[in-house]
Structures are given as structure tokens and as C-alpha cells.
Amino acid sequence: MPLLGVIICSTRPGRAGPVFANWFADIAAAHGGFEVKIIDLAEVGLPLFDEGKLPQLQDYEHAHTRKWSQTISELDAVMFVTPEYNFGPPAPLVNALTYLVREWAYMPVGFLGYSLGVTAAARAIQTIRLTVNALRMMAIPESVLFPAYQQTLTETGELNAQPASEKAASVVLDELLRWTKALSGLRAKALKR
Ligand SMILES: Cc1cc2nc3c(=O)[nH]c(=O)nc-3n(C[C@H](O)[C@H](O)[C@H](O)COP(=O)(O)O)c2cc1C
């Protein structure tokens, strides 16, 4: 079964990212098309990009880069769970993308965006689409969006998602799976699997 990485893209203490990542990972596991792995950029702990050589050479100096390369190479598809910071993608997401090139190639990617405001990180998602496209990732058009997310949290901080959100997640998963199958040959070649 293909492996889907659900990546938590915010790293600050008290962040909301894990609530949404856990919710999406549960839905993805029930979907049945993927094995699911949550990857938390706070735990990964990459410093600001510090490799001397171009990432496409894959001649990595640091153990943290080799480990990150291994983590991403193992994935067949990825879902970024992201907030919007100042109308753009959060720095940890941009930094994590910057470290690698070939490892991202021909990987289908979806987005879950959330915000306290009404934009649900849509501007961050549209902005980061340019970067994932440069990395030869296939960004699917549909996203799962949680605007004004405080209204969907219970008093104990759990997500009380509406059926429409579950439907959006299932559309994204179906589309990710379609592209995962279509791109598997190209991805295997890029990774020399
Ligand atoms: C540095 C920073 C910048 C933010 N900028 C935006 C923004 O541009 N648009 C928005 O809707 N919310 C913005 N917010 C509010 C976030 O939607 C909200 O704090 C959200 O919980 C951030 O995700 P996180 O908790 O996973 O860090 C910002 C929050 C922070 C901490």
C-alpha cells in the first residue's frame, strides 16, 4: 500500500497543527487507500537550511539532512497541514521543502489549511503551489479548508468537523490516490527505487 505523509507545518509551542493533522490522518486511515504516517516538523527539528552543496546533488553534509531525505524518499504522497503566517506559508514548511529536490519529485501533494481568520490559509496554499511545482510535485487542486477554526473546536480543544469537511478530505484522498498510482513509475525512477 502507498505511504501518505501527513506533515504538520507549524512548529511553535501551543500550535493548532496537530489537531488538524490527527483528524486528517484518522480519515486517511479509514479511507483505506494509504498507509498513513504523521510527520511533525517540530520533532524533525531541521535548522535553517545549512547545506553547502546544491540539494539536487544529494551530497549531504549533515545527518539531519540525510535523515530528512530518507523520511521523504519513503513517501508516495504527502499532505501538508498548514496555517498562514502573514498571508504566506510558514517558514518551517518553506525550509523543509528547501532541503531536498529529487526526494520530492513526482509526488502528489494535497493541502489542509486552517486559520483563525476567514481565509483558511488559502493564500499560503496558493503561494506554496509555485514552490512545489518547481520541485516537480503534483499539487492537486482541491484542499481541505478550516476558516475561523475556533468555531469548530470543542471546549476541550477537539475538532468537531462538519460533514462537508469530511467530504472534502475524502475528495482529496481519492485524488491523491489517483495521482499516486499514475506517478509511481516516474517517482520510482527519480528515486532509483
Ligand atoms: C506569526 C503569525 C502570523 C499569522 N498570520 C496570519 C495570516 O496571515 N492570516 C490568518 O488568517 N491568520 C494568521 N495568523 C493566525 C493563525 O491563523 C492562527 O494563529 C493559527 O492557529 C496558526 O497556526 P498554528 O497554531 O499551527 O501556528 C497568524 C499567526 C501567527 C502566529
Side-chain angles (χ1 to χ4, degrees):
M1 209 183 282
L3 181 61
L4 170 70
V6 177
I7 301 189
I8 303 172
C9 299
S10 61
T11 57
R12 68 183 184 93
R15 67 223 154 109
V19 173
F20 295 98
N22 291 332
W23 172 83
F24 186 82
D26 285 349
I27 291 189
H31 174 269
F34 294 99
E35 266 183 67
V36 183
K37 180 180 181 185
I38 294 182
I39 298 164
D40 184 349
L41 290 185
E43 277 174 24
V44 172
L46 290 167
L48 273 180
F49 180 58
D50 61 354
E51 286 289 337
K53 294 190 180 148
L54 292 180
Q56 50 264 52
L57 299 175
Q58 295 183 305
D59 185 4
Y60 303 129
E61 186 182 343
H62 300 294
H64 56 253
T65 314
R66 289 191 289 274
K67 196 169 169 207
W68 184 231
S69 166
Q70 183 64 33
T71 300
I72 299 306
S73 296
E74 285 167 3
L75 302 180
D76 299 291
V78 71
M79 188 76 185
F80 289 124
V81 175
T82 187
E84 174 173 286
Y85 286 171
N86 304 312
F87 297 11
L93 169 56
V94 178
N95 191 49
L97 284 168
T98 306
Y99 265 93
L100 309 174
V101 173
R102 286 170 197 257
E103 295 85 340
W104 297 115
Y106 305 109
M107 184 140 68
V109 52
F111 297 94
L112 183 155
Y114 57 90
S115 72
L116 286 174
V118 292
T119 59
R123 291 171 296 205
I125 292 169
Q126 289 304 96
T127 303
I128 207 69
R129 279 180 194 280
L130 296 173
T131 303
V132 300
N133 176 254
L135 292 167
R136 294 179 210 287
M137 299 176 86
M138 172 59 212
I140 65 162
E142 295 87 356
S143 301
V144 187
L145 299 177
F146 286 93
Y149 73 75
Q150 66 281 17
Q151 293 172 11
T152 57
L153 294 182
T154 64
E155 273 176 19
T156 51
E158 276 142 46
L159 190 59
N160 182 21
Q162 298 299 303
S165 301
E166 285 170 21
K167 171 76 183 150
S170 112
V171 168
V172 165
L173 286 159
D174 287 348
E175 195 66 8
L176 278 175
L177 188 56
R178 224 171 264 139
W179 279 105
T180 298
K181 288 175 184 163
L183 294 178
S184 68
L186 281 172
R187 179 149 177 79
K189 229 184 222 173
L191 293 170
K192 300 197 185 83
R193 269 180 180 168

